[in-house]
Amino acid sequence: MVESVTITDNRNGQTIEIPIVDGGVSAEQWSKILPGIWFYDPAFMTTAVAESAITFVDGDKGILEYRGYPIEQLAEQSTYLEVAYLLLHGDLPTAEQAEQWVREITYHTFIHENMRKRFLEGFHYDSHPMGILVSAVAALSTYYPDAKDIFDPETRHKQIIRLIAKMPTLAAAAHRFSVGMPFFYPDNSLDFPSNFLSMVLKTAESRFDADPTLVRAMDALFILHADHEQNCSTAAMRVVGSTHVDPYSACAAACAALYGPLHGGANEAVIRMLTEIGSRENIPAFIRAVKEGHGRLQGFGHRVYKNYDPRAKIIQDIAYKVFEVTGKNPLLDIALGLEEVALADEYFISRKLYPNIDFYSGLIYQAMGFPVEMFPVLFAIPRVTGWLAHWVEMLEHNTKIARPRQLFVGSPRRDYVPMSSR
Ligand code: CMC
């Protein structure tokens, strides 16, 4: 039996039956019976904006899969670059495809010298690295005018390779500039996460080899952040990309969305919150204040996960491995105490608020030596893959510009009043 809903317009008794397909009803069908009557859904709470085959999330069961593969298996066994291939191409690469993919990305890690010397050095000395990254990604479009040719698959592929390859270089450059350290060129004899850590952490060595545990942790964190279906920054990518602008400009918009404290900035907020709490004794008072509406428990809650965030569990395990190398982050005890109290508290239980990916990621980044300002930048490096996978999927399925409607609640028509008569 085909599942469907029937809508009746009580003004005239007209009805229409709309089939439920893949868990949704078509708004186009709806508009046939009710032209000019819009769904009022400002934060897309009940709106599906795309048919997508990339990432599956079941928020009630705490499931996350990239192209059908459970996130737990990918984080444990795969590499970020292999996952990037999977997200963009739909399947895991063969050995030959993987080799070519990694080679292509490795050869595109450098940025134009002008970009480093004139553009990046033009920022104020204490600029936020995420602000630098947003602008730098947008600026790339001016170096690659061929990127405008978005319907040519070969040109598109070239920009995808460039963006994935250059994100760590731009991120490292933004970080080094914001802390007054010299920029280091990519070392293409290193793998993707090692190369990034080398550009970030190197001082005077001719070659920097990061601790293998930290390299693996970085790669696993990149995998966990690579995609998360229709989140805010991906929605920004799709909306801006629907104008047919080049992918660098669309990615800059997505990056800007990720800068916000409710999205990519949440792990920074977690560290600030834990630092402010200061010690375990202050946890009950903090929780009380949150329940009374004074601020939020940062790193808790999610629009989709209403059971647990599977990424949070994996991240907790990574945290313990990283702390064996770096020493325990002193904020960990406060985080564990906070989690314990919140998970047993009726306020958080009834609202289905659980730790999300950001609750522990900041503790790891901080233990690895990254300043809090770098946290959203670290999120953006791998998320560019998700943005691009959704961008390609959108271009192949829908070439219409995104253009929502509104419910107008302003003044009715009135005549202009000269200033002397107001
Ligand atoms: N602390 C305290 N109360 C909360 C929290 C929180 N972290 N999150 C939600 N609530 C309460 C909220 O006050 C509301 O209560 P009531 O029904 O009494 O008004 C109820 O739970 C529902 O909240 P909501 O704001 O309607 O939920 P949402 O789906 O719009 O927001 C969220 C999701 C992630 C923005 C929100 O949970 C939040 O602000 N969390 C803290 C910031 C954070 O950790 N963000 C990272 C998200 S995961 C990374 C990513 O995917 O970008």
Side-chain angles (χ1 to χ4, degrees), residues 321-390:
K321 287 184 189 140
V322 167
F323 296 158
E324 274 172 30
V325 177
T326 60
K328 197 173 81 178
N329 187 325
L331 296 177
L332 177 68
D333 283 340
I334 303 172
L336 289 171
L338 205 52
E339 183 180 359
E340 197 185 319
V341 173
L343 292 181
D345 191 298
E346 191 43 36
Y347 174 96
F348 296 91
I349 295 170
S350 64
R351 288 168 180 77
K352 301 188 172 179
L353 301 170
Y354 297 89
N356 59 48
I357 188 166
D358 291 318
F359 195 66
Y360 285 103
S361 61
L363 290 173
I364 302 177
Y365 296 146
Q366 199 180 44
M368 288 169 92
F370 290 105
V372 285
E373 291 77 14
M374 269 299 279
F375 295 180
V377 175
L378 294 166
F379 191 158
I381 295 171
R383 183 53 64 88
V384 78
T385 290
W387 295 333
L388 290 166
H390 284 271

Side-chain angles (χ1 to χ4, degrees), residues 45 228 231 258 261-264 266 270 290 295-304 306 309 311 347-348 351 353 356-358 379 383:
M45 301 286 284
H228 208 233
N231 54 87
L258 197 61
L262 293 187
H263 192 4
V270 170
V290 168
R296 290 199 160 189
L297 178 49
Q298 296 300 330
F300 258 66
H302 198 275
R303 174 63 59 78
V304 181
K306 299 298 176 193
D309 180 342
R311 302 167 302 173
Y347 174 96
F348 296 91
R351 288 168 180 77
L353 301 170
N356 59 48
I357 188 166
D358 291 318
F379 191 158
R383 183 53 64 88

Side-chain angles (χ1 to χ4, degrees), residues 41-196:
D41 189 13
F44 302 141
M45 301 286 284
T46 50
T47 298
V49 293
E51 276 184 328
S52 182
I54 301 169
T55 290
F56 174 75
V57 175
D58 184 329
D60 291 329
K61 295 198 182 114
I63 294 173
L64 169 59
E65 293 165 358
Y66 292 164
R67 301 282 189 184
Y69 294 99
I71 192 67
E72 293 80 3
Q73 291 179 21
L74 293 171
E76 176 77 29
Q77 299 173 53
S78 187
T79 63
Y80 163 62
L81 285 192
E82 184 179 58
V83 164
Y85 185 98
L86 170 70
L87 287 167
L88 282 148
H89 296 86
D91 283 305
L92 288 168
T94 61
E96 202 180 311
Q97 288 165 333
E99 200 209 317
Q100 191 190 337
W101 176 246
V102 171
R103 189 170 355 103
E104 273 189 288
I105 290 175
T106 307
Y107 282 127
H108 284 86
T109 51
F110 277 67
I111 50 175
H112 196 288
E113 198 57 7
N114 241 356
M115 179 92 182
R116 178 180 80 79
K117 277 203 178 131
R118 300 196 180 268
F119 184 79
L120 291 171
E121 289 182 5
F123 283 94
H124 201 246
Y125 70 92
D126 60 353
S127 301
H128 194 294
M130 191 62 174
I132 299 180
L133 187 74
V134 170
S135 326
V137 171
L140 284 182
S141 74
T142 63
Y143 292 87
Y144 307 111
D146 59 323
K148 288 187 174 27
D149 199 359
I150 58 168
F151 290 108
D152 175 38
E154 216 173 292
T155 313
R156 223 156 52 194
H157 175 77
K158 215 191 285 176
Q159 317 316 322
I160 289 170
I161 295 286
R162 283 175 174 150
L163 266 161
I164 294 176
K166 291 180 201 310
M167 282 301 275
T169 315
L170 292 176
H175 167 63
R176 302 287 291 204
F177 182 78
S178 70
V179 293
M181 297 277 282
F183 169 81
F184 282 112
Y185 291 101
D187 179 346
N188 288 343
S189 67
L190 297 171
D191 64 29
F192 191 89
S194 306
N195 190 14
F196 173 60

Side-chain angles (χ1 to χ4, degrees), residues 225-290:
H225 287 90
D227 191 43
H228 208 233
E229 52 118 303
Q230 311 302 322
N231 54 87
C232 183
S233 55
T234 301
M237 180 81 189
R238 280 184 178 262
V239 169
V240 176
S242 80
T243 66
H244 296 177
V245 73
D246 68 86
Y248 301 101
S249 304
C251 271
C255 246
L258 197 61
Y259 199 172
L262 293 187
H263 192 4
N267 46 14
E268 181 175 338
V270 170
I271 296 296
R272 295 194 197 284
M273 171 188 75
L274 295 175
T275 310
E276 196 185 305
I277 295 173
S279 73
R280 270 182 169 255
E281 307 88 82
N282 299 332
I283 291 174
F286 179 80
I287 293 279
R288 216 168 26 249
V290 168

